[in-house]
Amino acid sequence: MKMEDMSLSGLENTKLEALAHDVYSDLVEDACLGLCFEVHRAVKQGYFFLDETDQESMKDFEIVDQPGVDIFGQVYNQWKNKECVCPNCSRSIAASRFAPHLEKCLGMGRNSSRIANRRIASSNNTSKSESDQEDNDDINDNDWSYGSEKKGELMHSNPNSPRRSKSLKHKNGELSSNVNPELYKYNYSSGISYETLGPEELRSILTTQCGVVSEHTKKMCTRSQRCPQHTDEQRRAVRVFLLGPSASALPDSDTMLENDGYDAPDGQLIMSRLQWDGSSDISPSDSASSKASTNNSESKRPKKKKKPSTLTLTTTGSGGERDKGQERERGDRDRVVSGGSGSSSSQNALALSSRKKRPKLPVPPALSIYDDLN
Amino acid sequence: GAQISEFSKAGGRLTEMARAVANRSRALQAILQSALNIARFASPTRDSHVVCVMSPAGCSHVNGFKVDNWKQNLRVIYQCFVWSGSAETRKRKAKSCICHLCGAHLNRLHSCLHCVFFGCFSKKHIHEHAKSKRHNLAIDLLYGGIYCFVCQDYIYDKDMEQIAKEEQRKAWKLQGSPPPHHQLFSKTSGIGEKYSMWEPTKRELELLRHNPKRRKITANCTIGLRGLINLGNTCFMNCIVQALTHTPLLRDFFLSDRHKCEMQSNSCLVCEMSQLFQEFYSGHRSPHIPFRLLHLVWTHARHLAGYEQQDAHEFLIAALDVLHRHCKDDNGKKANNPNHCSCIIDQIFTGGLQSDVTCQVCHGVSTTIDPFWDISLDLPGSSTPFWPLSPGSDGSVVNGDSHPSGATTLTDCLRRFTRPEHLGSSAKIKCSGCHSYQESTKQLTMKRLPIVACFHLKRFEHSAKLRRKITTYVSFPLELDMTPFMASSKESRMNGQYLQPVDSLNNDNKYSLFAVVNHQGTLESGHYTTFIRQHKDQWFKCDDAIITKASIKDVLDSEGSVAHIHQCSDV
């Protein structure tokens, strides 16, 4: 029959159904034909056999759904000893510590500026031991304890190290009375032996440094006047002891922050802390001191007009914002905090193509900063 | 010995298939039968000539045809009678293709290649013609296969197939609405190739024959899933990587080696992404260590680096941005216009958000469209009020409504997102119609939806007074129809057409969920995990190095921080 001549309106239901059925079976047959051609071609071209799979090895890849094991049938948490090679420094690093290492390795960590400053400052000094210490900064990826690294010792892997618990205790700004034994090791090699110094030298040293004599090493503490390890009482005592009763007064706070030669490393870093730290609860690693070091990168970020990354209504502020004022606790796994975005009802800011910066939080009382040094 | 068993296996399957279609049609059976014969025929005990039937699938009888202007003639036949690209060609084909002997339109019509003759195959009319005129070749008008009457079988000649493929592609392009899968790769310039099946070369066939241990990715297979080692608080990165490696289109792009790197250095993130897919599909069961990925992302997105607490969503945006920047070289063209990038990232993830600002005085509307990669949604429980929604929000019931007393749904959040918002007297906008500052309302709608859309629930509140995590449960659906939130829907509503009938055949705005990122814990310390979907309806939980099976209920009960949805028609 010719196609043009058909008119469906005048047909009865049964005829319509028959027609529909014909159309349907033609369609199905055509579809089957297509499949047949595919198979035919596959056989003729010689790749039909590729469909065959090796049943035995397929079994190895079956999904496992049982408690205590993952889908591969492996027990959880057996991957502790993985290592990788840092693309930057080519050192072999434990995989679970790679991120903090990379942070410092690339010089973008929050402590990297401090370390760099220390290096610069200590290169002005004759003390070799300090510069030796700094080499360990890369290994020691937690700068919780300022100056407490010992060469070659991977203390970060010990979750029970006294440093960790100490930082938790110091939330409220109290000085700790327990001193990390490792600190002694630092002082041991870089302290000053008072016996060899004359009174003038002692005096000048005592105007800029803590000076408290360690019981273990018999050397004077080279930290600043506000060194948290020792109390003011101790400092007064040592001045009396070394310089006589007239020298018991500690210099006032104005002169404390001047950068003298010896004190330079500490003073600068502490000053930088005063500038940048947020609330008293934070510890140095998440202070905004790294913000200073990443400020350059922020300005380098291209201002995009139509690029999607800036536009979302999230008005996601610059990366550093969310970190301010956040507490960090040492957990065994992750303490990832999400900063999410800025204020929630800021859809009006959609039109902005650059990210908003949040105002800096006020400077905390100085005492709290030192908690982290222990 | 191995070869024989292979052939007999192939033969066995073919026999099965032949039996299965026996009821359908004798003609179909015949095709399979011929294939069967070939499979049986070519066994190694025969002489080598016969075995070689496997490699050249053409025949010598086409040589008589390949003279003069045969290519052009063949093209014309394909264009007019086989592949119809437009409505006119379809009509023409339907009207003119008719058996010259019996007048039938169907019955597997074939066209003679040597002259203008149509004959049906089922009634052997084309065979008669071939015999009487000694025209040995005919073409099947339905699928374009070439039949040789001397060989009495369909043959596959390389040159002729090439022409057939080209003409088919042209026809696809002409078609008004090609299937979205093809649309993705054919409508944009530069990446204009339709996906075609992989065909092994002779050498590859040989190699495969010698290595029979093959694995296929079936529904019960772990290939494609792999854990990721936590590098030190990098679960924010791991969770996003899992979502990306299970984005079907992205996976297809990378597994088919579509990235051709033009970066001189080793620091192309797209290459690393490609490598990541290789790792995921390698079959290795130990978790992968994504240290190079971290290094590259931090190198290229410095603003992210150096923070130990990081936001998964922030990482997603940064990663997409770097990938997009590195992808620009893929086009081969100088596609440096940021507004018209056609890299894979833009094709998959970029949508257009329309912002309409309406002046309250003159009712003039100023519209801007900005590209977006994700949609950040406010939640109830934050310090800005969620309920009630402003008047004028849509009343569509497409996705199921909820009201303040029930659980908040994702649709609620979307409705809030697209509600008209009075900007208030303190935020007057300069109206070009009134030439002065006026109060106005602003409304956001979706102008163009990306193929993969990411929703980000703003659970972390950072206002001047407080920082906290909003743990309000938001229910999200497995399937989502985005139609009510489109700019086009809004226009219809404004024109008075409320409650549009749901076009169930139009799948353009229908999306299905395939990844959900969750954050457990508090603002101060927490951990990210992801649920991802594989093989249509199997869900898995990715917790750094540990991948376990999950139920749909686990997924839907979870809190949800970032959700990825995929356009339905593509999966």
Side-chain angles (χ1 to χ4, degrees):
Chain A
M1 68 192 98
K2 293 253 170 87
M3 277 176 17
E4 295 85 12
D5 296 348
M6 285 286 303
S7 151
L8 294 175
S9 50
L11 291 176
E12 301 159 338
N13 265 353
T14 44
K15 287 238 175 86
L16 274 176
E17 271 185 37
L19 271 177
H21 190 269
D22 282 346
V23 172
Y24 170 72
S25 44
D26 283 338
L27 285 172
V28 172
E29 185 159 323
D30 284 349
C32 291
L33 188 66
L35 177 62
C36 289
F37 276 131
E38 275 179 34
V39 171
H40 180 266
R41 184 167 190 274
V43 172
K44 243 190 149 162
Q45 299 280 50
Y47 58 86
F48 185 72
F49 72 93
L50 292 180
D51 236 16
E52 308 281 310
T53 54
D54 179 53
Q55 294 303 321
E56 280 310 306
S57 55
M58 287 288 284
K59 286 210 181 72
D60 292 339
F61 289 89
E62 279 177 9
I63 292 171
V64 175
D65 187 13
Q66 277 161 33
V69 291
D70 62 13
I71 53 166
F72 305 105
Q74 296 161 146
V75 182
Y76 299 165
N77 291 330
Q78 54 172 291
W79 313 110
K80 300 281 191 198
N81 298 325
K82 291 274 181 178
E83 286 202 348
C84 53
V85 176
C86 175
N88 207 39
C89 62
S90 304
R91 265 200 278 214
S92 181
I93 311 287
S96 55
R97 311 307 316 179
F98 179 72
H101 160 80
L102 189 67
E103 193 180 40
K104 285 208 284 305
C105 198
L106 290 176
M108 48 183 60
R110 42 192 69 91
N111 299 313
S112 296
S113 63
R114 185 158 60 85
I115 295 164
N117 285 339
R118 249 179 33 203
R119 280 218 183 92
I120 294 166
S122 71
S123 69
N124 299 332
N125 300 324
T126 51
S127 167
K128 270 193 187 168
S129 54
E130 274 186 46
S131 49
D132 283 345
Q133 297 293 337
E134 277 128 26
D135 286 343
N136 297 329
D137 289 332
D138 286 325
I139 300 175
N140 184 0
D141 34 44
N142 299 317
D143 279 300
W144 292 102
S145 175
Y146 167 65
S148 68
E149 301 89 344
K150 184 169 168 21
K151 203 166 193 173
E153 192 171 337
L154 299 176
M155 294 180 299
H156 51 263
S157 54
N158 176 12
N160 296 321
S161 92
R163 275 182 299 142
R164 286 176 192 255
S165 50
K166 222 185 306 281
S167 60
L168 291 175
K169 285 183 210 157
H170 292 166
K171 277 181 212 170
N172 298 322
E174 294 159 23
L175 282 176
S176 160
S177 48
N178 341 337
V179 180
N180 190 332
E182 271 119 7
L183 286 177
Y184 280 116
K185 292 172 189 158
Y186 176 81
N187 288 334
Y188 185 86
S189 37
S190 62
I192 302 162
S193 183
Y194 63 89
E195 287 134 340
T196 61
L197 299 172
E200 271 74 32
E201 289 169 75
L202 278 174
R203 198 167 287 123
S204 74
I205 285 169
L206 285 173
T207 51
T208 54
Q209 290 178 53
C210 169
V212 173
V213 178
S214 152
E215 287 167 37
H216 293 237
T217 68
K218 301 285 186 274
K219 294 202 177 169
M220 293 161 67
C221 174
T222 54
R223 294 173 149 216
S224 79
Q225 297 276 351
R226 291 181 135 267
C227 151
Q229 235 177 287
H230 305 113
T231 63
D232 284 357
E233 277 301 309
Q234 288 173 301
R235 282 187 271 273
R236 238 168 258 139
V238 82
R239 276 155 184 77
V240 168
F241 173 65
L242 290 175
L243 301 173
S246 56
S248 62
L250 290 168
D252 55 77
S253 44
D254 285 342
T255 58
M256 266 197 289
L257 298 178
E258 280 166 33
N259 287 333
D260 285 340
Y262 216 108
D263 203 19
D266 294 350
Q268 267 174 0
L269 289 151
I270 289 164
M271 277 195 70
S272 57
R273 277 197 178 192
L274 282 174
Q275 270 178 300
W276 291 325
D277 270 342
S279 75
S280 55
D281 283 347
I282 58 167
S283 43
S285 305
D286 65 13
S287 77
S289 58
S290 62
K291 196 164 180 353
S293 63
T294 58
N295 270 340
N296 291 335
S297 57
E298 278 179 340
S299 59
K300 276 186 209 148
R301 208 182 329 135
K303 299 275 188 212
K304 297 165 196 163
K305 283 291 167 184
K306 290 268 179 181
K307 288 284 159 102
S309 56
T310 55
L311 57 42
T312 65
L313 335 145
T314 63
T315 66
T316 310
S318 50
E321 295 160 6
R322 75 184 94 81
D323 284 353
K324 285 195 188 169
Q326 282 170 358
E327 243 175 43
R328 273 189 57 201
E329 285 173 13
R330 288 270 152 187
D332 50 341
R333 281 206 81 159
D334 296 290
R335 25 187 171 75
V336 174
V337 175
S338 168
S341 28
S343 59
S344 42
S345 63
S346 47
Q347 286 176 352
N348 294 335
L350 173 71
L352 293 178
S353 58
S354 58
R355 299 184 176 194
K356 279 197 258 193
K357 286 197 181 194
R358 293 173 103 232
K360 297 193 170 157
L361 296 174
V363 174
L367 214 53
S368 60
I369 303 170
Y370 300 130
D371 303 338
D372 313 302
L373 296 180
N374 285 335
Chain B
Q3 272 187 327
I4 297 176
S5 66
E6 249 175 59
F7 292 151
S8 63
K9 257 191 239 167
R13 286 184 56 203
L14 284 177
T15 323
E16 270 176 49
M17 285 178 74
R19 274 198 212 111
V21 299
N23 295 337
R24 252 309 123 196
S25 151
R26 289 289 158 92
L28 297 186
Q29 211 178 1
I31 295 177
L32 285 178
Q33 193 64 45
S34 76
L36 200 63
N37 292 338
I38 294 165
R40 283 201 189 121
F41 209 38
S43 79
T45 54
R46 300 265 185 160
D47 58 74
S48 51
H49 297 295
V50 176
V51 173
C52 281
V53 90
M54 282 297 181
S55 24
C59 69
S60 50
H61 311 112
V62 298
N63 296 334
F65 172 74
K66 285 183 178 179
V67 292
D68 302 329
N69 200 17
W70 70 273
K71 278 196 180 172
Q72 190 51 35
N73 292 339
L74 192 60
R75 276 187 203 279
V76 168
I77 293 178
Y78 272 111
Q79 279 170 21
C80 298
F81 304 124
V82 185
W83 313 125
S84 20
S86 60
E88 300 91 50
T89 50
R90 273 201 293 277
K91 259 188 225 160
R92 184 178 60 197
K93 176 178 173 178
K95 285 191 187 169
S96 58
C97 293
I98 169 174
C99 176
H100 286 194
L101 291 182
C102 69
H105 284 277
L106 301 170
N107 296 340
R108 281 176 65 200
L109 208 60
H110 279 61
S111 163
C112 174
L113 278 187
H114 299 272
C115 70
V116 182
F117 181 89
F118 296 120
C120 51
F121 196 93
S122 323
K123 307 247 176 86
K124 303 271 191 223
H125 293 155
I126 190 78
H127 297 70
E128 287 173 30
H129 169 84
K131 205 162 158 192
S132 64
K133 296 283 175 112
R134 307 256 174 109
H135 290 172
N136 291 330
L137 298 172
I139 181 170
D140 168 43
L141 293 184
L142 190 53
Y143 287 104
I146 311 279
Y147 189 88
C148 172
F149 288 96
V150 181
C151 300
Q152 290 192 26
D153 196 11
Y154 285 94
I155 54 105
Y156 303 102
D157 179 82
K158 217 165 70 164
D159 299 324
M160 294 166 93
E161 285 207 301
Q162 177 67 25
I163 291 174
K165 269 201 201 105
E166 286 167 11
E167 292 306 315
Q168 187 179 33
R169 204 165 292 160
K170 279 191 214 166
W172 274 129
K173 285 194 178 160
L174 279 179
Q175 277 195 358
S177 52
H181 183 77
H182 302 292
Q183 185 182 34
L184 174 66
F185 291 102
S186 63
K187 83 172 177 195
T188 57
S189 58
I191 313 185
E193 258 182 65
K194 195 173 86 135
Y195 273 148
S196 51
M197 294 274 293
W198 166 72
E199 274 188 34
T201 60
K202 253 185 265 178
R203 174 81 185 126
E204 283 164 350
L205 274 178
E206 228 178 275
L207 287 170
L208 286 164
R209 226 186 283 274
H210 283 118
N211 294 284
K213 265 195 165 178
R214 280 183 291 279
R215 290 188 283 259
K216 224 155 87 160
I217 298 175
T218 60
N220 195 28
C221 188
T222 58
I223 296 179
L225 295 163
R226 199 163 171 198
L228 291 166
I229 293 276
N230 187 304
L231 302 172
N233 289 333
T234 58
C235 57
F236 69 91
M237 175 177 82
N238 289 350
C239 70
I240 295 297
V241 169
Q242 293 287 4
L244 289 176
T245 50
H246 292 96
T247 301
L249 272 182
L250 205 61
R251 172 201 68 204
D252 292 347
F253 177 84
F254 281 107
L255 285 181
S256 48
D257 267 340
R258 302 279 291 218
H259 171 58
K260 284 155 190 60
C261 195
E262 309 218 354
M263 274 181 84
Q264 307 299 342
S265 64
N266 265 355
S267 63
C268 175
L269 190 68
V270 191
C271 285
E272 183 58 30
M273 200 70 203
S274 189
Q275 186 56 31
L276 200 66
F277 278 96
Q278 295 298 318
E279 293 282 350
F280 268 68
Y281 281 85
S282 61
H284 287 140
R285 285 171 226 157
S286 62
H288 173 62
I289 311 176
F291 66 97
R292 264 196 318 268
L293 184 72
L294 184 72
H295 175 248
L296 282 178
V297 172
W298 278 4
T299 310
H300 293 293
R302 291 240 153 185
H303 64 282
L304 264 193
Y307 296 105
E308 296 224 24
Q309 299 108 330
Q310 295 209 31
D311 181 26
H313 166 252
E314 179 92 351
F315 178 83
L316 170 68
I317 299 300
L320 288 179
D321 183 48
V322 178
L323 286 170
H324 157 75
R325 276 189 274 138
H326 289 190
C327 255
K328 268 202 244 172
D329 309 317
D330 267 355
N331 296 347
K333 300 188 168 193
K334 293 128 200 154
N336 282 325
N337 183 351
N339 292 332
H340 290 285
C341 178
S342 54
C343 68
I344 187 71
I345 301 294
D346 273 334
Q347 285 187 43
I348 296 178
F349 293 100
T350 304
L353 188 71
Q354 182 167 321
S355 167
D356 296 312
V357 178
T358 311
C359 171
Q360 291 301 93
V361 172
C362 68
H363 298 287
V365 184
S366 144
T367 303
T368 49
I369 298 174
D370 289 312
F372 70 89
W373 275 334
D374 70 330
I375 300 162
S376 283
L377 301 169
D378 288 311
L379 299 179
S382 71
S383 44
T384 49
F386 190 86
W387 304 108
L389 302 177
S390 306
S393 55
D394 90 278
S396 165
V397 293
V398 172
N399 289 310
D401 266 333
S402 86
H403 46 80
S405 58
T408 321
T409 66
L410 187 68
T411 354
D412 290 334
C413 297
L414 280 168
R415 295 214 326 269
R416 183 181 186 279
F417 182 80
T418 53
R419 79 199 188 293
E421 191 186 350
H422 292 278
L423 294 180
S425 49
S426 53
K428 290 187 180 173
I429 307 282
K430 179 119 189 247
C431 172
S432 48
C434 305
H435 300 291
S436 61
Y437 285 88
Q438 304 291 355
E439 284 194 26
S440 45
T441 58
K442 183 171 116 153
Q443 188 173 21
L444 296 168
T445 47
M446 313 286 165
K447 175 68 180 173
R448 179 179 102 86
L449 285 169
I451 297 179
V452 172
C454 305
F455 293 118
H456 167 231
L457 302 182
K458 289 154 79 171
R459 291 196 175 277
F460 297 100
E461 178 156 12
H462 282 266
S463 58
K465 335 169 208 166
L466 41 78
R467 304 166 284 119
R468 63 191 173 105
K469 177 179 172 187
I470 300 163
T471 55
T472 316
Y473 173 70
V474 176
S475 80
F476 38 88
L478 279 178
E479 313 265 322
L480 180 66
D481 189 331
M482 293 290 288
T483 316
F485 313 109
M486 303 294 295
S488 49
S489 303
K490 178 194 154 204
E491 275 147 26
S492 325
R493 277 198 301 279
M494 280 166 57
N495 295 338
Q497 301 161 315
Y498 280 90
L499 287 183
Q500 299 160 275
V502 175
D503 184 0
S504 50
L505 291 178
N506 178 12
N507 278 333
D508 283 352
N509 295 333
K510 296 213 174 90
Y511 283 77
S512 50
L513 190 70
F514 73 93
V516 180
V517 176
N518 283 295
H519 180 264
Q520 294 130 332
T522 63
L523 199 86
E524 286 80 28
S525 79
H527 179 53
Y528 280 108
T529 55
T530 307
F531 286 110
I532 48 103
R533 194 182 82 196
Q534 182 103 316
H535 304 307
K536 195 68 188 172
D537 54 4
Q538 287 192 40
W539 286 85
F540 296 91
K541 180 176 182 182
C542 304
D543 182 354
D544 283 336
I546 304 169
I547 313 289
T548 47
K549 204 152 193 313
S551 68
I552 292 180
K553 185 177 187 307
D554 293 335
V555 179
L556 296 179
D557 283 349
S558 67
E559 203 177 64
S561 284
V562 182
H564 294 246
I565 57 173
H566 198 294
Q567 201 171 31
C568 272
S569 39
D570 265 296
V571 178

